[in-house]
Amino acid sequence: MREVDVIGVRVEMPSNQPIVLLREVAGERYLPIWIGAVEATAIAFAQQGVVPPRPLTHDLLKTILDETGNPLSEVRITEMKDGVFFAILAFESGLEVSARPSDSIALALRTGTRIVCSDEVLEEVGLAVPEEQEDEVERFREFLDHVTPEDFENEG
């Protein structure tokens, strides 16, 4: 298992499908996981520190874990079968519960729990971006975030 960080949530075009992008902490691989819009919002809210007026499902689950004294110790992205990712919520009590990676990531961000991914998943679907190319990739992402169609109009 390799520890991963949550880079963020993006919407892939032209399918308009949200993805959460994870990055290997001690490596150069990225792992894109296609997720639902509700889960994308939950992950983005947690990353941005947004506190809704009423608790969302993942906030409620965090409160239940806190109140029952059964903290989450680790989120594991364990496998991918037929294009579907699987995860496990591992609790300090030793209990393990199968879950969707999107829900698991949203909960991990709220609880400060580390996220790990199996070597097999990273080898199968991880995308390697060598360190020397990371600055270039980031500059390109920033360009895409700020470019508008008007930037390409002919002024002649």
Side-chain angles (χ1 to χ4, degrees), residues 44-102:
F45 276 9
Q47 280 196 301
Q48 297 166 5
V50 173
V51 179
R54 298 288 300 145
L56 300 176
T57 304
H58 302 97
D59 302 309
L60 175 62
L61 188 50
K62 178 196 180 302
T63 300
I64 291 170
L65 296 177
D66 291 344
E67 294 298 320
T68 60
N70 193 16
L72 191 59
S73 64
E74 190 173 72
V75 164
R76 300 178 190 141
I77 299 170
T78 56
E79 61 184 319
M80 186 178 88
K81 290 182 189 172
D82 301 321
V84 176
F85 288 90
F86 292 81
I88 291 176
L89 298 174
F91 296 89
E92 285 186 12
S93 66
L95 176 69
E96 293 185 354
V97 176
S98 178
R100 296 184 307 178
S102 55

Side-chain angles (χ1 to χ4, degrees), residues 3-156:
E3 187 170 0
V4 294
D5 282 333
V6 180
I7 300 301
V9 176
R10 305 273 190 274
V11 176
E12 187 201 37
M13 300 307 258
S15 68
N16 210 27
Q17 178 70 37
I19 64 168
V20 60
L21 186 62
L22 307 175
R23 184 182 190 283
E24 192 176 19
V25 170
E28 57 185 27
R29 291 178 289 191
Y30 287 83
L31 181 66
I33 300 177
W34 281 256
I35 60 176
V38 171
E39 293 78 12
T41 301
I43 291 169
F45 276 9
Q47 280 196 301
Q48 297 166 5
V50 173
V51 179
R54 298 288 300 145
L56 300 176
T57 304
H58 302 97
D59 302 309
L60 175 62
L61 188 50
K62 178 196 180 302
T63 300
I64 291 170
L65 296 177
D66 291 344
E67 294 298 320
T68 60
N70 193 16
L72 191 59
S73 64
E74 190 173 72
V75 164
R76 300 178 190 141
I77 299 170
T78 56
E79 61 184 319
M80 186 178 88
K81 290 182 189 172
D82 301 321
V84 176
F85 288 90
F86 292 81
I88 291 176
L89 298 174
F91 296 89
E92 285 186 12
S93 66
L95 176 69
E96 293 185 354
V97 176
S98 178
R100 296 184 307 178
S102 55
D103 289 327
S104 302
I105 291 166
L107 185 57
L109 289 172
R110 284 165 172 75
T111 59
T113 304
R114 82 184 203 125
I115 303 168
V116 296
C117 183
S118 75
D119 292 323
E120 294 80 14
V121 169
L122 283 168
E123 287 170 16
E124 185 178 343
V125 292
L127 306 170
V129 177
E131 198 170 305
E132 62 270 9
Q133 292 180 9
E134 289 233 1
D135 288 341
E136 188 175 330
V137 169
E138 188 55 39
R139 282 194 304 270
F140 183 64
R141 277 193 205 120
E142 286 181 29
F143 168 77
L144 289 176
D145 287 343
H146 297 98
V147 71
T148 65
E150 291 79 27
D151 293 333
F152 296 99
E153 289 181 357
N154 187 353
E155 295 184 19

